[in-house]
Structure formats: C-alpha cells, structure tokens
Amino acid sequence: MGRRGSSGGAVGTLAGRVAGMARQVWAAVRPVGGAQLFLWWCGTLLLVSAAVHGVVALVDGGPWLGSVTWRKPVVFGASFGLVTWSAVWVMRQLGRRWFGWPFALVFGGSSLVEVALITMQKWRGVPSHFNSGTPFDEGVFSAMGMTVLLVAAATGFLLVWALVDFRGTAVARVAAVGGLLALAVAGYIGTDLIGEGDKVYAATGHVPEDLVFGAAGSAKLAHAIGIHGIQVLIVLAVLLEGTALATRARLWTMLVATAGYAAVYAAVTVTAYAGRAWTDPTLPVAVLGLVGVVGVGVGFWQAVVTREVADERSAVAV
C-alpha cells in the first residue's frame, strides 16, 4: 500500500511539474496589445482549422500522402498557426512601434489567405500546388505564391526588428534570432521545392505526388525542421527562465542547444540536397546530426532538472 501511495505521489508530482511547464509556456505566448492579439487570433484560427480537418481526415479516410489529401489543410494549418503564435512571442520581446500593426496584418493576414486557398482546393478535390489545369486553379497557385512571399518578407522584417530592438533576456534573444534565421533558411528551401515541382510538372504535365531532391533527398523534412525550429527554441528559452541556473549558465545552455539544433538542421539539409534519404546520410553528416541531437537534449535536460531543483527549494522554503 505504501509503495502504491509513493508511486501515485510521484506520478502526481510529475504531472504537476509538466502542467506547470505548460502553463509557463502558454503564458509566454499570450498577446499584449492589439497587434499581438490580432496575430494570436490568426494563429488560433489556423490551429483550429488544422484540428477540425484532422477530424475530417479520420472520418473521411483516404491516403495521407499525395497531391490531394486532407494532410495539406492539416499540416499547413498547424505549421502556419504555430509560426504565427511564435511571432507573437517574439513581438513581446520587442519595443512597441507604430509598424507593429502593419507587420501583424501582413504576417497574419497572408498566413490566413495561404492556408484558406490550400484548404479550398482540397474541398474542391483538386491539387493546390502546381495546378494549371484551369485558369482559376492557375490563379489560385499564383495567389499562394504571392502570399508566401509576403510571409517571407514579414519574417525578414521581424528578424531585423529583433536584431535592432530586442528588449528581452539574452536567452530569449538567442531563441528569437536563431529561430527566425532557421525560418528564413526554410523559406529558401521552400523556393527550391517549388522550382523542383515546376520542373516535374513541365516534364510530365502532371502535378507531382511527392517532391524530393535528386533520387531521395528529404526536401520536405529539411523544410519542416527549419520552420519549427523557432518553436523548439522558444519553449526551451521559456523553460530556462524558471530554472535554478545562474544567468550565464542559462545563456550557455541556450547557445549549446541552438547550435545543436543548427547542426541537426544542417545535417538533414545537406543530406537532402545530396539526393540521399534522411536515414542514409554520409558518416560525417550523421555524426554532425547526432552531436546536434545531444546538444538539444542536454539543453532540455538542464531546463527540466534544474527546474525540479528550483521547485524543491521553493517547497523547502515554504
């Protein structure tokens, strides 16, 4: 009975700590001011759309991969939604400027339009990308290209803003700049993906069902890792703020984890451009990726373990 009670207490303690970390992250992305609120709601709508279409996908069935599947509204909605919420967190670390509203309108509005067009095409039962079957479909794809360019331009603007007017901690600065740089590189990979798709369409006359670089380069994986790096780094930065680590130790932990993520990103990207599957990298690139995973893992381990120490100290003090 004692063992069961001890086990139950340990589980309860773990659940409480996880809930505490979740609350800390959630509080960090809450909007402050009208521009951030608009951006936050854009992200929320996109994430709700992704969840709803996830349910539709389960009910409707059908393949997950391909040019016309529910995967597109789900994945694009979730990705754009998370990136939009990430932009809210970055804006919270910056000075309030008159151009905050124009940035939020361009970034959030363009994201909504992009995902809406992709979702509309799925409901119409036609490909969203590389579709020139009718003038309307060609116009939709062109509009998607324009909205993506606007999002990319807004991302570049946010990066410059973060470089010159950052008000947060050094840990937060590393997360913001590192994440935005990864997002910018992901945009470059995205243009290469579009170029590859255009080549396939020109050669075959058909919308490609999948895109790879060379024989088997995981282009989409490299693109995704770049897009979602900012969320990984933001979560780590927020968690580190609640630890027992000294200020300098937090910064070094953040730098190691950011360098680790960059190493993983570089390994996957180099492998993709070499035309190799991500499971088949060269030995040096595999070592680089493994070292990167360790670096990121060490960062989160430090954040969790030192947070437990801080919680225990608080409990003793009480």
Side-chain angles (χ1 to χ4, degrees), residues 210-231:
D210 194 16
L211 287 175
V212 294
F213 288 163
S218 304
K220 290 182 179 179
L221 178 60
H223 185 56
I225 290 177
I227 289 174
H228 296 296
I230 189 167
Q231 287 100 60

Side-chain angles (χ1 to χ4, degrees), residues 28-29 31 35-36 39-40 43 80-94 103-104 107-108 111 151 154-155 158 161 176 180 183 230-231 234:
V29 300
Q36 293 178 32
L39 204 56
W40 187 89
F80 274 91
L82 289 172
V83 170
T84 304
W85 272 11
S86 300
V88 172
W89 178 85
V90 175
M91 286 186 72
R92 286 188 54 164
Q93 318 297 319
L94 307 176
F103 162 77
F107 195 100
S111 298
V151 172
T155 300
L158 186 61
W161 189 5
L180 289 170
L183 196 57
I230 189 167
Q231 287 100 60
I234 285 173

